[in-house]
Amino acid sequence: MCRTERPGDGDDIDEVVCAAFGRDDEADLVWALREQGAISLSQVAEYEGAIIGHLAMSPVQVNGEDTGWLGLAPVSVWPDCQQQGVASAMIREALDSANELDWAGVVVLGEPAFYRRFGFRPASELGLECAYPGAGDAFMALALKQPVPTGLVSYHPAFDDLA
Ligand SMILES: CC(C)(COP(=O)(O)OP(=O)(O)OC[C@H]1O[C@@H](n2cnc3c(N)ncnc32)[C@H](O)[C@@H]1OP(=O)(O)O)[C@@H](O)C(=O)NCCC(=O)NCCS
């Protein structure tokens, strides 16, 4: 079952993110984004009352301006629960919510073969470029509204701390 993050979920989310990535960095990023009020959408997946998956979306800027676009990151699934469609279910639900909440589009840095199935395309095809050099086709975009802004996409500064 997927649902929106609720107050008090933070520690359980922290455990899932640490376990998924095998280190603290992404979990620290989630805390930093939450503390700075930069999480626009936070989705968890539950199984038998336990949180087994999490994803966050935070606003990105295009050419230094707010354009209603979100960055999807990080996405985490408890290692024992991977390859069972948990991330796919969370991503579909989060994209539906982003659309309903009137966000203009979503970018993601990830595996093209995985994200293509949700409608993401190489961001370069839409005229969007990642501020992190070398992202290539791993930088993908899904427009929810037209027109699509074009230019350089930058994530929240908390992402700069990620190695
Ligand atoms: C990347 C990650 C989030 C994917 O989570 P997941 O829950 O395993 O993802 P899904 O199960 O939805 O999809 C992954 C694969 O499982 C397959 N799958 C989906 N439903 C399935 C099911 N019911 N049974 C078996 N396999 C299934 C998908 O087809 C996909 O396979 P493919 O890409 O080889 O085609 C997870 O592996 C993870 O937490 N990794 C560590 C953190 C990370 O790297 N995050 C991404 C960067 S932010």
Side-chain angles (χ1 to χ4, degrees):
M1 186 196 89
C2 293
R3 64 167 175 80
T4 302
E5 175 182 343
R6 293 196 288 248
D9 285 339
D11 287 336
D12 291 342
I13 289 172
D14 190 69
E15 271 191 52
V16 171
V17 181
C18 282
F21 284 91
R23 60 180 199 175
D24 296 343
D25 305 47
E26 287 75 12
D28 292 346
L29 167 66
V30 173
W31 280 120
L33 291 170
R34 193 187 289 114
E35 278 166 8
Q36 294 175 57
I39 296 189
S40 305
L41 228 146
S42 179
Q43 191 90 37
V44 300
E46 271 186 331
Y47 180 69
E48 295 185 342
I51 291 179
I52 57 163
H54 173 258
L55 69 74
M57 290 193 188
S58 53
V60 292
Q61 291 192 324
V62 182
N63 294 330
E65 296 197 359
D66 296 324
T67 55
W69 275 66
L70 294 168
L72 165 58
V75 185
S76 314
V77 173
W78 192 263
D80 290 348
C81 303
Q82 292 176 4
Q83 296 291 324
Q84 296 170 47
V86 174
S88 299
M90 289 194 299
I91 292 166
R92 291 209 163 88
E93 189 113 349
L95 291 174
D96 282 352
S97 298
N99 201 14
E100 279 163 21
L101 294 168
D102 241 16
W103 290 97
V106 181
V107 290
V108 69
L109 257 172
E111 180 56 49
F114 180 62
Y115 285 103
R116 214 180 296 273
R117 67 194 67 171
F118 309 108
F120 286 92
R121 298 159 48 191
S124 57
E125 290 179 10
L126 281 76
L128 293 166
E129 186 196 339
C130 186
Y132 298 120
D137 279 354
F139 188 54
M140 307 191 80
L142 170 60
L144 300 172
K145 275 189 190 172
Q146 299 293 335
V148 176
T150 57
L152 194 67
V153 180
S154 45
Y155 283 77
H156 188 279
F159 281 86
D160 296 345
D161 295 335
L162 263 195

